[in-house]
Amino acid sequence: VSYGVLNPTEDDAEVEVQVFLDDPATNGSVEPFTLTVPGGRHDVVEVFTEERLFPEGVAGWAMVRSVNDVPIAAGRLEGGTEGSDVPGFVATLGSPLVATEWVAPVPAVPDADGATVAVVNPSAAGEATVMLRALSDGAEVELPGLGEVVVPAGSRAVIPLEGDALALGGLSIVVRSDGPVVVSSTAVVGDDRSAAVAMAVAGSETRPGSLASPGAVLTEPPVTEPPPTSTDGEAPPADADTTEADVTDGGDGSGTSESDQPPSDAGEGG
């Protein structure tokens, strides 16, 4: 798995790539990768290549953020090994937004071997209660595994779609949450697979500028000092927080999994 970071501006971007492993109580945590991306350039971070840090078969998700407020774009390239549950290669962009309502279309592919919907809760604190329901050709249908799912802070849940669900026409999964999340979907057909961030419903999305560092609460950006005052005693207007972040899912999509590691700072992956 590799994460690519593009800096389209003229300024250097100081970037942090934080990977969150599933089941951190068993698999532990990983120190963030840091890099400087010059203006107009891109860089690539290879992860999941060192077994000491990333145990074989363990998946997760990643947060990519610019720590000096220079706008960036981020994506993931993932390749499955021969004989694994997720063969082939897939490239996806990270999500620059978090939202409370998403729609994830499920590709209607003949002979599909499986599909998944992944929900990431990138909050530094506070679980997200998520409700998933299925629509086929505009009508609601019952599918095993859907319903209410609780996703702890800094974790993800992967919901498999199998069997008869893959034969439904026009299948979409509607995801509603009581907190900001990021949703993506995958599909596997033989040795090929696809993955994409779902579509956020207009009006439910927000920019992830308040996603916080370790130990902070995911609310408004913290106030570190009083605003400066002008000579006439009136405080000038404060600039808006413009921190950019991208979330990418690193899941293998092979089943339902959750982690509960608080993030350092939203796709979903490994």
Side-chain angles (χ1 to χ4, degrees), residues 209-213 216-225 241:
S210 61
L211 294 180
S213 57
V217 177
L218 180 66
T219 53
E220 294 300 317
V223 177
T224 56
E225 58 181 292
D241 187 339

Side-chain angles (χ1 to χ4, degrees), residues 99-101 119-121 123 126-132 147-153 175-181 258:
T100 56
E101 188 170 355
V119 181
V120 171
N121 175 9
S123 300
E127 63 187 23
T129 300
V130 180
M131 179 62 69
L132 300 97
E148 185 175 290
V149 177
V150 176
V151 187
V175 180
R176 290 190 175 94
S177 172
D178 63 357
V181 296
E258 294 186 356

Side-chain angles (χ1 to χ4, degrees), residues 76-80 85-93 104-118 156 158-159 161 166 171 183-198 249-254 267-270:
R76 183 186 83 247
L77 176 63
E78 182 180 357
D85 293 333
V86 282
F89 289 86
V90 63
T92 54
L93 287 174
V106 179
V109 181
D111 302 321
D113 296 306
T116 63
V117 172
R156 66 175 190 138
V158 180
I159 298 91
L161 303 173
L166 301 178
L171 178 63
V183 177
S184 69
S185 61
T186 65
V188 177
V189 183
D191 291 335
D192 300 317
R193 54 180 165 151
S194 64
V197 174
D249 174 33
D252 58 7
S254 58
E268 299 157 76

Side-chain angles (χ1 to χ4, degrees), residues 42-133:
H42 76 278
D43 204 348
V44 176
V45 176
E46 298 283 350
V47 299
F48 293 97
T49 57
E50 190 167 338
E51 191 171 333
R52 177 179 63 85
L53 298 178
F54 305 100
E56 184 178 358
V58 175
W61 63 279
M63 173 78 73
V64 182
R65 61 171 180 161
S66 170
V67 298
N68 64 339
D69 294 346
V70 174
I72 58 172
R76 183 186 83 247
L77 176 63
E78 182 180 357
T81 59
E82 185 177 356
S84 71
D85 293 333
V86 282
F89 289 86
V90 63
T92 54
L93 287 174
S95 173
L97 300 172
V98 292
T100 56
E101 188 170 355
W102 297 80
V103 177
V106 179
V109 181
D111 302 321
D113 296 306
T116 63
V117 172
V119 181
V120 171
N121 175 9
S123 300
E127 63 187 23
T129 300
V130 180
M131 179 62 69
L132 300 97
R133 61 191 184 94

